Amino acid sequence: MDSTPLRKVLELERQREFSDTAVFGGLDKFLSRWAAKTEGTINKPVVLKKFRQLQLDKTGYSQLDKEQRKAKIEEIISAIDEIEAAITKKPPRATVASAVPVAKPKKKPVLKTAQGANLDASITTIKGISAAVAAKFNKLGAETVRDLLYYFPHRHLDYSRRKTISELVEGIEETIIANVWQVREVRLGNRRSTEAIVGDETGNVRVVWFNNPYIVKQLSTNQQIVISGRISIFKDQPVFESPEWEILEDKELVHTGRLVPLYPLTKGLYPRTVRKMMKGVIDRWAPEIKEFLPELLRTRCKLLDLPQAISQAHFPDSVDLKDRARIRLAFDELFLLQLGVLRRKHHWQVSQPANPFKINTTMMDKWIKTLPFEFTGAQNRVTTEILEDLKKSDPMSRLLQGEVGSGKTVVAVATLISAVDNDFQGAFMAPTEILAEQHFASVCNLLAIAGKPVVQEDYLHTYSGITGKPVTVALLIGDIKGKRKQELQKAIASGDIDIIIGTHALIQKDVSFKALGLVIVDEQHRFGVAQRSALRQKGFSPHLLVMTATPIPRTLALTLYGDLDLSVIDQLPPGRQTIKTKWLTPQQREKAYNFIRKQVAEGRQAFIICPLIDESEAVQARAAIGEFKYLSAEVFPSLRLGLLHGRMSSADKDDVMSRFRNGELDVLVSTPVVEVGVDIPNATVMLIESADRFGLSQLHQFRGRVGRGKEQSYCMLLAENPSEIATNRLEIIEKVQDGFLLAEEDLKLRGPGEFFGTRQSGIPDLRMARISDTALLEMARREATLLFEKDPALENAAHKLLSDEIARVWIKKDIGEQS
């Protein structure tokens, strides 16, 4: 029995909304003729009885209403399905989903490459990749054949489970194997498209490919195809809209019936083309990649072999293998990262011994006792850790981490005093001029408490009575011009200046030191390895202390700063308050303004933070300049407002901050330049515009600008139309005050790259690793440390491939090697 003509007509009748116009003369006439013709082809009595019970010659279709016609067609199709199943003695397919049968190819297709090509050859050596196509891949970071192997899909669509047509569910990614009953070109939305009717033993379904008429020529009637895609409902009928498809042949499926990779794309690259090309690349080149991890390590950690991991990361045979592939490749990234930073630390400490300091504990205790506050237990602990490091001939390499207000600066000054007491110079580098100026003021204030001011010139102060000789402190920043700058540089070179505070200006070629023994870098993630290494070259082999106010989860700190020992000030001074935090809707803006007026009337001050300097339609955030004009004229005409942004000169910034600190301004409108370091004890209100534009850690840094005095402080967050993720962030910051907890949440929401705002300089990219995967991270650190202890130079023959891989991954990254 051939039901194809019947099915085609009934499907067309469905499409025409049961209008009885699918065939000339109406459906009653067609059914009667088809029934008479088909009855003679049925040989089995039982089946023939069922067929006659249908009474296709007496349906009375033309007399039925629309709903009755729809039901009648469903009844006919269902009956025909059963009859055909009975004829072929095949029961209808079970409703339980089964894996798509994929015939493995007898021989994998070989992607042709130029003779003599290797993994490091240009991708243009692969047949089919022209210079123009290669340029598009280059934009995505793929320049060599090896790069393509590591050009991983950003996700997979699970098309591995087959359904029958009768089991299809709306809105779900589904896979079917079906026969093509009809295929034709149609116009949909005024665009040439392809429409097909396909069917299996349980029914038929419509498939459309919008704006793609070419598929008509690729499909033919009675062909078996695999279709994978999302089911939609159109006019009460299921339909596949622009699904992936493949003709079912004796070869491995690429686009359907499996876990299908979705690759990052750029203009001019298309999913099917890239996927097909990548299948050839993986089949040809994955087996060629050399395994660099020692066999014992792989066995101990239960890791896949590298060729298999790369193959399964692209075209996995199962979800389990996909996950195992990610674990292997993520382990590689973290393991190589750990070995790299261990090598950097080893190079720092072994290649050039430092000058050990003699710690004058009597002098140090005397200075600490003069301070108007007591050290917290955490400050005492980290100061001891630092001073112990300074006693060694191995140069100190330590990260000092502490919340805003935890007292890092006073610990830094204690370290600097120790350097001066040992006749060495100390360099203190900040990320911005405004912070360098603030550090200069803070250091001078702390020295002035115990010492006597002897000299107070522009950018240079001298204090006596602290160490055995006067301590001279200077500020060196880009804004200092002409003769004064030359005078300071000369004094640094001659050793007349003991403590030099500055920005990137400290690593310029025209700045030299006489005896640089200590380097302190504030907010390390804003500098990176290159600047840090360049500053080290100014001295023989200075001790290094890196400070950050950004709470960094321990796992992340140990990963990114694995070359630094970790000290944490995890205790705030007594009396530090909880800052009341509230997320406000745009409708509550006036309420926020009234609150600021009330606080100012009580003698307090306020910050208003905006994310951009200039108006930008692309980023709907209120810019500081425009906001300042609006607030001054319209909202707070009776208050004294100041403006601070990154494009102002250092002198102008200093003037504004001085006026704000001295109480001459009521409200400071600022861009994120105020994020870290600025200390105004009388400021009690922080209003953050477009708060949804910032991450949790940055919002926490802003919030830390207030609450530095005795009065209750407040942080108000305004967001126009936050996304789901931004809403989540705002809800968290309202409830959580602990910076380390917020940092953990920030990592979950944004990942390590966004966590720092800019890519971590000197660190290889992490593609598969998730910093939140603590167990894998710890395993990588453990294995890297174990290996490094046994063979730090990787000279063992068994580690040759590993050594080559580290050199390849860290090439141009490990600036420390050049020092």
Side-chain angles (χ1 to χ4, degrees), residues 154-285:
H154 58 80
R155 68 186 181 102
H156 288 80
L157 295 174
D158 190 353
Y159 290 158
S160 62
R161 307 297 292 175
R162 179 197 164 186
K163 293 283 186 72
T164 61
I165 289 175
S166 64
E167 295 171 324
L168 297 178
V169 177
E170 180 186 5
I172 304 296
E173 302 280 2
E174 306 276 33
T175 293
I176 62 169
I177 295 177
N179 292 312
V180 178
W181 301 132
Q182 178 188 45
V183 59
R184 61 176 183 155
E185 183 179 325
V186 293
R187 296 194 76 83
L188 298 171
N190 226 9
R191 293 187 175 187
R192 294 173 62 201
S193 306
T194 296
E195 178 185 72
I197 306 301
V198 302
D200 63 10
E201 60 272 30
T202 68
N204 294 337
V205 68
R206 179 171 170 245
V207 188
V208 293
W209 288 274
F210 296 108
N211 200 28
N212 192 342
Y214 312 107
I215 294 178
V216 171
K217 297 177 182 178
Q218 298 171 32
L219 294 178
S220 57
T221 305
N222 292 325
Q223 232 172 6
Q224 260 205 318
I225 65 171
V226 184
I227 292 175
S228 294
R230 192 179 296 275
I231 284 291
S232 301
I233 299 297
F234 180 71
K235 294 185 177 178
D236 297 326
Q237 296 300 315
V239 58
F240 278 107
E241 295 185 349
S242 299
E244 294 290 351
W245 65 278
E246 285 178 274
I247 296 169
L248 190 63
E249 298 175 304
D250 185 26
K251 67 177 184 180
E252 191 175 359
L253 296 170
V254 176
H255 308 290
T256 60
R258 64 173 308 136
L259 288 162
V260 175
L262 293 181
Y263 289 95
L265 301 172
T266 189
K267 188 175 181 181
L269 293 179
Y270 304 98
R272 282 180 74 89
T273 310
V274 170
R275 198 178 297 128
K276 184 178 179 182
M277 185 212 74
M278 285 302 300
K279 188 69 173 72
V281 169
I282 298 305
D283 288 346
R284 165 66 181 87
W285 287 104

Side-chain angles (χ1 to χ4, degrees), residues 280-381:
V281 169
I282 298 305
D283 288 346
R284 165 66 181 87
W285 287 104
E288 300 286 333
I289 200 155
K290 293 178 180 177
E291 176 60 75
F292 56 81
L293 288 183
E295 186 176 353
L296 280 175
L297 187 156
R298 295 200 313 274
T299 303
R300 187 164 57 244
C301 298
K302 300 178 181 177
L303 299 172
L304 291 181
D305 292 344
L306 185 56
Q308 184 187 12
I310 285 178
S311 178
Q312 293 298 318
H314 288 273
F315 294 92
D317 292 332
S318 67
V319 173
D320 177 63
L321 278 170
K322 177 173 80 81
D323 292 341
R324 290 187 65 196
R326 189 199 73 80
I327 288 170
R328 162 63 206 260
L329 295 164
F331 176 88
D332 286 357
E333 291 176 349
L334 296 170
F335 180 69
L336 294 171
L337 173 58
Q338 288 300 307
L339 280 177
V341 294
L342 286 171
R343 184 183 59 174
R344 183 185 285 163
K345 183 177 182 180
H346 180 76
H347 178 77
W348 179 278
Q349 294 189 329
V350 174
S351 63
Q352 289 178 286
N355 293 293
F357 290 2
K358 292 180 181 178
I359 305 302
N360 187 337
T361 53
T362 303
M363 178 270 296
M364 186 61 64
D365 290 343
K366 180 183 174 184
W367 175 73
I368 290 174
K369 285 177 182 176
T370 65
L371 298 173
F373 51 83
E374 287 188 17
F375 266 31
T376 62
Q379 283 174 309
N380 281 319
R381 185 184 70 249

Side-chain angles (χ1 to χ4, degrees), residues 436-450:
E437 291 171 297
Q438 182 165 301
H439 282 317
F440 179 66
S442 299
V443 171
C444 289
N445 288 339
L446 288 167
L447 293 176
I449 293 168

Side-chain angles (χ1 to χ4, degrees), residues 28 248 283 556 558 626 717 806 814:
D28 283 328
L248 190 63
D283 288 346
L556 183 59
L558 290 172
L717 311 164
I806 290 177
D814 197 355

